Amino acid sequence: MAALYACTKCHQRFPFEALSQGQQLCKECRIAHPVVKCTYCRTEYQQESKTNTICKKCAQNVQLYGTPKPCQYCNIIAAFIGNKCQRCTNSEKKYGPPYSCEQCKQQCAFDRKDDRKKVDGKLLCWLCTLSYKRVLQKTKEQRKHLSSSSRASHQEKEQYSRLSGGSHYNSFSPDLALDSPGTDHFVIIAQLKEEVATLKKMLHQKDQMILEKEKKITELKADFQYQESQMRAKMNQMEKTHKEVTEQLQAKNRELLKQAAALSKSKKSGAVECCGYYSYTTNYPKI
């Protein structure tokens, strides 16, 4: 009986051939939790849910420092502190200032002073290095597939030549076909396709950021217009109330002035009567 090995995610046992090479995951776990790139730092991680688009480290940094900014060197949206991402900051401390990448032409490639760590002798940045290695891996797999299929076809042709008695098929060499210039063009095309896909993904992310900012601006404008209308309505109400109070005070003032005039008039008439009575008593003849 063949030995069974546990999946690192669901812990169910499967044959060794059914598990992935890197993380030892079964087929269902590979489908449910695919390996994707983080939206911010662009590193590959095991996706826990479809709504989760950033790795655990970036999620912690977002909670601590907020939304990151683009790095001034590599342009990756992972600068949580300052204007540089953590990868470029550590590389700059270790290897000095960055140089121009031979692939993307950005000033984000760090010279490690070791030709063995370069990719085919080229000074590449981190993203271009990953892309180049991925393309080389795909090319090797496709070459292996082409080699196996060409060998099978070569064996069929040899068998056919032996049956037909001909010998002109024996000059065919699959290694010669794989070393042809067309294979180099295939590598370049695959690399360009990978770069185009990366650029499209970056463009989509920037479009999403622009849309979010435009949405926020629209919300702020609507909030400002609402507050302005409320303020105007409040000012109009205050002006109306002030006008009514002023009119009431003016009417009351006019009424008080009338009362004061009437009181002063009555006082004057009373004084005149008193004066007439006094003059009459003083002029009366004595007996």
Side-chain angles (χ1 to χ4, degrees):
M1 185 177 179
L4 298 177
Y5 298 88
C7 172
T8 55
K9 201 72 180 176
C10 63
H11 304 293
Q12 295 182 7
R13 294 188 173 274
F14 299 91
F16 184 76
E17 295 79 10
L19 300 176
S20 61
Q21 294 181 358
Q23 298 181 345
Q24 301 294 312
L25 296 175
C26 64
K27 186 177 180 180
E28 293 181 358
C29 291
R30 287 198 299 271
I31 295 172
H33 306 283
V35 178
V36 295
K37 287 184 179 179
C38 177
T39 306
Y40 291 148
C41 65
R42 309 303 299 161
T43 55
E44 293 183 347
Y45 72 101
Q46 197 79 30
Q47 192 177 27
E48 298 294 334
S49 62
K50 292 183 179 180
T51 57
N52 184 19
T53 59
I54 58 176
C55 61
K56 292 181 179 179
K57 188 175 180 181
C58 287
Q60 293 176 357
N61 289 332
V62 167
Q63 291 179 355
L64 291 174
Y65 308 109
T67 306
K69 297 178 292 185
C71 177
Q72 67 177 12
Y73 290 154
C74 62
N75 206 25
I76 296 175
I77 308 172
F80 290 95
I81 305 174
N83 297 323
K84 291 178 284 187
C85 65
Q86 193 63 37
R87 190 181 296 109
C88 288
T89 302
N90 295 335
S91 298
E92 188 177 17
K93 289 180 181 178
K94 193 173 183 180
Y95 306 111
Y99 295 90
S100 178
C101 175
E102 295 183 18
Q103 188 65 34
C104 64
K105 307 303 179 185
Q106 294 189 48
Q107 202 78 10
C108 56
F110 295 92
D111 191 3
R112 301 185 181 185
K113 312 297 182 183
D114 190 358
D115 293 335
R116 292 177 299 177
K117 294 183 179 180
K118 294 181 179 180
V119 183
D120 290 343
K122 296 180 180 180
L123 183 61
L124 302 178
C125 65
W126 180 73
L127 276 180
C128 292
T129 302
L130 291 181
S131 177
Y132 195 82
K133 288 181 178 180
R134 197 179 297 113
V135 170
L136 288 179
Q137 183 65 28
K138 287 182 180 178
T139 307
K140 286 180 181 179
E141 292 176 358
Q142 289 173 356
R143 280 189 177 185
K144 190 182 293 184
H145 179 69
L146 287 172
S147 177
S148 60
S149 61
S150 60
R151 283 172 186 168
S153 62
H154 181 61
Q155 291 176 359
E156 291 178 359
K157 288 180 180 180
E158 283 184 348
Q159 187 177 2
Y160 177 76
S161 63
R162 283 197 299 270
L163 292 173
S164 60
S167 61
H168 56 280
Y169 288 107
N170 293 330
S171 60
F172 178 80
S173 174
D175 296 332
L176 201 64
L178 289 172
D179 293 334
S180 61
T183 308
D184 296 332
H185 292 305
F186 176 77
V187 174
I188 294 171
I189 290 169
Q191 187 175 0
L192 290 173
K193 285 182 178 180
E194 184 73 20
E195 291 177 5
V196 168
T198 304
L199 291 173
K200 283 183 178 179
K201 195 170 287 186
M202 290 176 65
L203 183 62
H204 178 69
Q205 291 175 0
K206 290 184 178 180
D207 289 340
Q208 291 293 328
M209 290 178 65
I210 291 171
L211 287 174
E212 289 178 0
K213 288 182 179 179
E214 288 180 351
K215 185 179 177 182
K216 193 172 182 179
I217 289 170
T218 306
E219 291 177 354
L220 289 173
K221 283 183 178 179
D223 189 22
F224 176 75
Q225 290 178 356
Y226 175 75
Q227 290 181 1
E228 188 178 7
S229 63
Q230 291 290 323
M231 187 65 69
R232 284 180 180 177
K234 191 175 181 180
M235 288 177 66
N236 292 333
Q237 185 66 29
M238 289 175 67
E239 186 177 357
K240 185 178 178 181
T241 306
H242 180 265
K243 189 175 181 180
E244 291 176 354
V245 170
T246 305
E247 289 177 354
Q248 290 177 1
L249 290 174
Q250 287 177 352
K252 193 173 183 180
N253 191 20
R254 285 194 295 269
E255 186 68 26
L256 290 173
L257 286 173
K258 287 180 181 179
Q259 292 178 5
L263 287 172
S264 63
K265 190 175 181 181
S266 62
K267 284 181 179 180
K268 285 181 180 180
S269 61
V272 169
E273 289 178 357
C274 289
C275 289
Y277 176 76
Y278 179 75
S279 61
Y280 174 76
T281 54
T282 52
N283 294 326
Y284 191 79
K286 295 181 179 181
I287 299 176

